[in-house]
Each structure stands twice: as structure tokens, then as C-alpha cells.
Amino acid sequence: MTGPVEPPAGVPARPTINDIARLAGVSKASVSYALNDLPGVSEQTRERIRAAAGRLGWRPSAAARSLSNARAGAIGLAIARDVRLFEEEPYYMRLLAGIESVLAREGFSLLLSVVPDAATAVEVLRDWWAERRVDGVILTDLLVDDPRLALVTALGIPCAFRGGIDDRLPAGGHLALTLEAERESFSAVVAHLAEQGHRDVARISGPREFLHTRRRDVVWDEVTTAVLGAPQPVVVSDYTSQGGLARTRELLARTVPPTAVVYDNDVMAAAVVAERRALGLRIPEDLAVVAGEDSMLCRLASPAITSLQRDVVADGARTARLLLDVLGGHPSTATVGEPRRLVVRASSQGSGETGLTPPGGSSSARR
């Protein structure tokens, strides 16, 4: 078995068709015909030119490809989140890994920008589209009144939506979306906590301007009413560790504090477990903790955290595949992902028989 062929000495690091023509002993026009699979050269000459190009390590430029096929070869993703969240949140790295796994295989690159808000994202997306830098875009974390949705609709930008969206998705062959199955996930969590003896349960959510938070709020009320007889409280946070700790302190200061809290992500849940002694808690004896997202944070915590598990990498890959299907001329599509699977760990097991005692009462009076 032989190793790679070394290019001739003196060839530039970024060879052009001029270099290929010199090495193959042909004209520039012949090189162009051969590399673009056009008639005008014999098969023998075509093979000689291709061999010369291979020896030089030549690759067609992205600019030349875009001019010839009207494609940029790139997909845009402008994430409208506080960049500080990326210091803590494992979710996005897994989502990006899934997206890239499909795009790289299909010869597309990912153009990524992290911006502070949706209005800034609109400007970024508009510039990318006007400059022909992207063939389509992926949108995540849609807002209740999201200006990005109006933009891609008005300009006809091929788009795949990730996560929450409702029936206001406009008609059009350039759009695709992936939804999350929330009801089955919350039903499993609330049933588990009820089996452990919990009757006072709370949830700490993400910001309510997100469509996925609004949808989860509706499902949470319905599921907790069905299982526990009344809708259980929800307090709003920002997905960060400090936000989760602050909202947890507020819940624990209530006259009747919850004995179990479900957090919308892993970061908030892991922060509470890590700071349990500062909070004056035993987990799960005083407070059962459940994370709405699973990650290494949940598995490495002590005690390990019960969580809702899903394959985020596969979700990212599915979203990228939907967008490439749209670019390929397939009709717009909607898919619903698998429900997140409840993984029971030590943070909620055997936790319902004790709990924080509210002022002036016993823990048994709360159940």
C-alpha cells in the first residue's frame, strides 16, 4: 500500500487551474472542460488532468461553485441567546454536533452566529441571505411573536424550525419543523413523583417569551391537575445556575414549600444539588430534584439527578436533514420527536416520606 503522492516541488500551497494545466501539459480551457465534466477533451486527456489535480491537492473554490450552481454550500444558524449561557449549557454543543454530522456528510458548512436577541438575529439572517452566503437557515427557540419567522416567510428563505412552534406556521414549500412531545414526558415525571408520595410539586421554567415554554406550561397544568388534583405552581427563570438557585430559594421560603421541583434544564437542577448544603437541604429527603434535560451534569452530580433524557445529537441531525430535504425540492414537513424518557436516579428516589416542615405544621399535613 502506497502513501499519498507528494506534489511537485515549487507548487503553491493553493494551486490553481494554471498549475494543473502546466503539470498536465494542456491548456487552461482543457482543464476547465475536464474538471467540470464538459465535452471538448478526450477521455485520456481528462484522466491526465484529473490525476494532475489530485497530485496538486487542488479543490474547487466555494466562490466558483456558488457562481456555477447558485448555491452557497452553507446553512445559517443565528442563536439568539445570552452568550454567558454557553458557558454552562451543554445542550447547544450536542445540537450543533448533530447538525454538523449531516451537513459535513452532504458537503455543506455551518455558518454560526450567537447574538443577544431576535432583532439582531433578523439583521444577521437578512445580511446572509442578501449576500448569498447561505442556502437556508435553522431557527431555534422561537419567541411568541418572533420577527425571524416573519423574515423567512417574507423572503422565502428555506428554513427548518427547531423545537417549539404552534399552528401559526405559515404555508409554503420552503419550511420544515420539528416538534417536541411534551405531554408524555411530563406525565412520566409527575406520575413518578406522585408514586414517591409527593403532593406539593413545583416547576422552574425557562423564560415565558419562548413558545416551547408556553406549550410546556399548558401541558404542565393539565398533567398536574389530572394526577395531583390541582395545577402545580410554576416560577420563571433564565436557565442559568444562579437563576435556578434564586427561584429555588423563593419556593422554599413559601408557607407551603414544594417537596419536589422539576427544572426545565439540567444546569438549574445541577446547581441546586451542588449547593444543597448552602440551601439547608438534604436531597432527596427534603427536596426531590428532577431535570427536564439530561446530560453529564446529571450523571456526575451527587446524588445523581433524575432527568428527562433525549438524543439531542439525533434531534440536530434530524433538523438538518429536514432542511436539506427542503433544499432538494421536497414538500414542507413536520415531524414530532420521540418523548423524552424518564431516567430515575437518586435525587428523587425514596424521597416522598419526608420533607421540609412548613412553619407551624408537620410534613404529614402537607400530603
Side-chain angles (χ1 to χ4, degrees):
M1 183 175 179
T2 60
V5 177
E6 293 295 327
V11 171
R14 299 179 67 182
T16 67
I17 61 172
N18 287 323
D19 301 308
I20 300 170
R22 278 194 297 269
L23 182 60
V26 298
S27 68
K28 285 175 54 180
S30 295
V31 173
S32 180
Y33 293 149
L35 296 181
N36 289 290
D37 291 322
L38 298 173
V41 294
S42 68
E43 193 59 35
Q44 183 179 11
T45 300
R46 191 184 305 275
E47 290 304 318
R48 188 164 81 250
I49 291 169
R50 287 174 175 168
R55 289 187 64 193
L56 294 173
W58 176 85
R59 296 290 185 274
S61 74
R65 286 198 305 269
S66 67
L67 287 173
S68 63
N69 62 16
R71 284 286 177 91
I75 298 302
L77 174 60
I79 299 176
R81 284 294 186 91
D82 188 331
V83 71
R84 292 175 298 177
L85 186 62
F86 282 75
E87 298 176 7
E88 302 181 326
E89 179 64 82
Y91 172 84
Y92 284 103
M93 293 303 103
R94 291 182 288 160
L95 182 69
L96 292 174
I99 293 172
E100 282 278 37
S101 70
V102 170
L103 297 185
R105 187 168 63 247
E106 299 296 332
F108 284 81
S109 59
L110 179 66
L111 188 57
L112 174 66
S113 181
V114 180
V115 296
D117 51 51
T120 306
V122 165
E123 297 307 312
V124 170
L125 295 173
R126 180 183 285 116
D127 288 346
W128 285 350
W129 187 246
E131 295 166 6
R132 300 175 183 250
R133 297 177 65 188
V134 296
D135 299 309
V137 299
I138 294 172
L139 300 185
T140 64
D141 300 324
L142 286 183
L143 305 176
V144 174
D145 293 305
D146 201 308
R148 294 171 296 175
L149 182 58
L151 177 75
V152 298
T153 303
L155 298 184
I157 302 175
C159 179
F161 301 94
R162 174 79 200 99
I165 194 165
D166 57 19
D167 57 7
R168 288 174 296 173
L169 178 71
H174 64 292
L175 305 174
L177 70 148
T178 57
L179 296 169
E180 297 171 3
E182 302 288 1
R183 184 173 304 279
E184 296 88 339
S185 304
F186 276 152
S187 294
V189 169
V190 177
H192 164 67
L193 293 174
E195 288 169 1
Q196 296 293 309
H198 295 281
R199 296 295 177 268
D200 297 305
V201 178
R203 173 173 151 251
I204 296 183
S205 76
R208 283 219 168 100
E209 61 261 31
F210 292 128
L211 278 173
H212 64 252
T213 301
R214 297 286 184 96
R215 193 176 66 250
R216 288 174 183 173
D217 288 347
V218 172
V219 173
W220 173 262
D221 283 353
E222 292 173 354
V223 169
T224 55
T225 299
V227 177
L228 300 174
Q232 300 298 294
V234 178
V235 295
V236 178
S237 187
D238 58 1
Y239 289 127
T240 67
S241 57
Q242 292 305 309
L245 286 168
R247 302 292 85 74
T248 301
R249 290 189 180 96
E250 292 174 9
L251 286 172
L252 296 177
R254 292 186 175 188
T255 303
V256 180
T259 59
V261 176
V262 179
Y263 298 83
D264 266 14
N265 75 345
D266 47 347
V267 171
M268 295 188 291
V272 169
V273 171
E275 297 296 326
R276 62 191 182 280
R277 292 185 178 86
L279 293 169
L281 291 174
R282 296 170 301 161
I283 295 175
E285 293 85 355
D286 298 325
L287 186 73
V289 171
V290 177
E293 196 72 60
D294 188 44
S295 72
M296 191 63 71
L297 293 175
C298 298
R299 296 188 285 276
L300 294 181
S302 180
I305 301 171
T306 294
S307 65
L308 286 169
Q309 187 180 81
R310 59 176 165 174
D311 191 339
V312 178
V313 175
D315 286 347
R318 184 184 305 110
T319 303
R321 183 73 266 167
L322 282 174
L323 180 54
L324 295 186
D325 286 346
V326 168
L327 292 177
H330 298 281
S332 57
T333 313
T335 66
V336 179
E338 292 294 319
R340 288 172 287 171
R341 183 174 65 91
L342 179 65
V343 179
V344 177
R345 299 189 179 104
S347 71
S348 68
Q349 284 186 309
S351 55
E353 296 307 316
T354 60
L356 293 174
T357 303
S362 66
S363 62
S364 59
R366 302 166 53 202
R367 303 185 188 281

